[in-house]
Amino acid sequence: MPLFQLILVALIQGITEFLPVSSSGHLILLPALTGLQDQGQIIDVAVHIGTLGAVVLYFWRDVRVGLAGLPRALTGRTDTPGSQLAFGLIIATVPTVIAGAILHFTGLSDMIRSVAVIGWTMLIFGLVLYWADQSGATTKDSSDWGPKDALKMGLWQAIALIPGTSRSGITITGARRLGYNREDGAKIAMLMSIPTIIASGVLLGTKVAIDANADIARDGAIAAVFAFVSALIALTLMMRLLRSVSFTPYVIYRVILGVVLLVYAYT
């Protein structure tokens, strides 16, 4: 793949992975609207590894606490902050893994990769995010996150398997509806991405590993590095902006893009 396209794909993935605007939707739109070749699943895995590194680095303190509590969480004990976090992340990931496996093995995941679908999901779930953000209470912070809320947010996250929905956007929507403030709701949503990205990486990685060679590995490494850097910058800026700005700017972008895509798809 040309270096320019590798960098372009990596930047799109990195910038949009943690913003509530749908990275998968943008990656599908790139070849659909520009005529460029599809980047393929190997590059998809590579850029997801890059963004995984960014979120782990940014939230390293929380990740370290969760890893320390993982052994206790695996035995069902949630008597420490770390085990409570780890147990919550496990529960929140289960609905997405189940729904993702169904879509993958039935072939439905390919059927919903269209400009029209992305246009509708951009528009509809952008408005849902606005409604949740404006009407949601701010009575909870990340320390209140338990199994019940984790399951509810996990069900919201499973909806993001529909291209254009945005994994971060839909989980933030769920967090705001449950009463979490913007910053902590986004933090929980970002932490939820870690096991989800790992699960999708394992699923896709085992499928494409056989086709890998030195040239593809080199392309993947380049894409992963650029995705890591751009994701880290985008995540840092968003978390800082949430201290003073709502999600409305992202909603406006989603609505405009959704309308444009629908006009394009149906005309």
Side-chain angles (χ1 to χ4, degrees), residues 234-266:
L235 180 56
T236 301
L237 291 176
M238 186 187 77
M239 295 304 294
R240 289 181 179 178
L241 285 173
L242 286 181
R243 298 168 188 169
S244 57
V245 180
S246 70
F247 291 104
T248 301
Y250 304 109
V251 172
I252 293 173
Y253 172 79
R254 289 185 63 114
V255 170
I256 293 173
L257 179 58
V259 170
V260 171
L261 291 177
L262 289 174
V263 171
Y264 174 85
Y266 292 110

Side-chain angles (χ1 to χ4, degrees), residues 28-29 32-33 112-120 260-262 264-265:
I28 293 171
L29 289 175
L33 300 181
I112 56 178
R113 291 169 63 94
S114 71
V115 174
V117 169
I118 296 172
W120 282 114
V260 171
L261 291 177
L262 289 174
Y264 174 85

Side-chain angles (χ1 to χ4, degrees), residues 130-204:
Y130 179 80
W131 164 71
D133 186 41
Q134 295 298 312
S135 63
T138 55
T139 57
K140 297 180 181 179
D141 57 36
S142 56
S143 63
D144 297 312
W145 201 55
K148 186 176 180 180
D149 284 355
L151 178 58
K152 290 179 180 178
M153 288 183 65
L155 292 172
W156 279 95
Q157 181 174 244
I159 302 173
L161 292 170
I162 305 173
T165 300
S166 172
R167 192 213 59 82
S168 62
I170 202 68
T171 49
I172 289 171
T173 297
R176 293 292 293 123
R177 287 305 304 159
L178 290 170
Y180 290 91
N181 62 63
R182 290 187 180 111
E183 193 170 355
D184 279 18
K187 173 184 173 180
I188 295 169
M190 299 307 110
L191 290 173
M192 284 174 59
S193 74
I194 295 174
T196 302
I197 294 174
I198 291 174
S200 63
V202 169
L203 179 64
L204 292 175

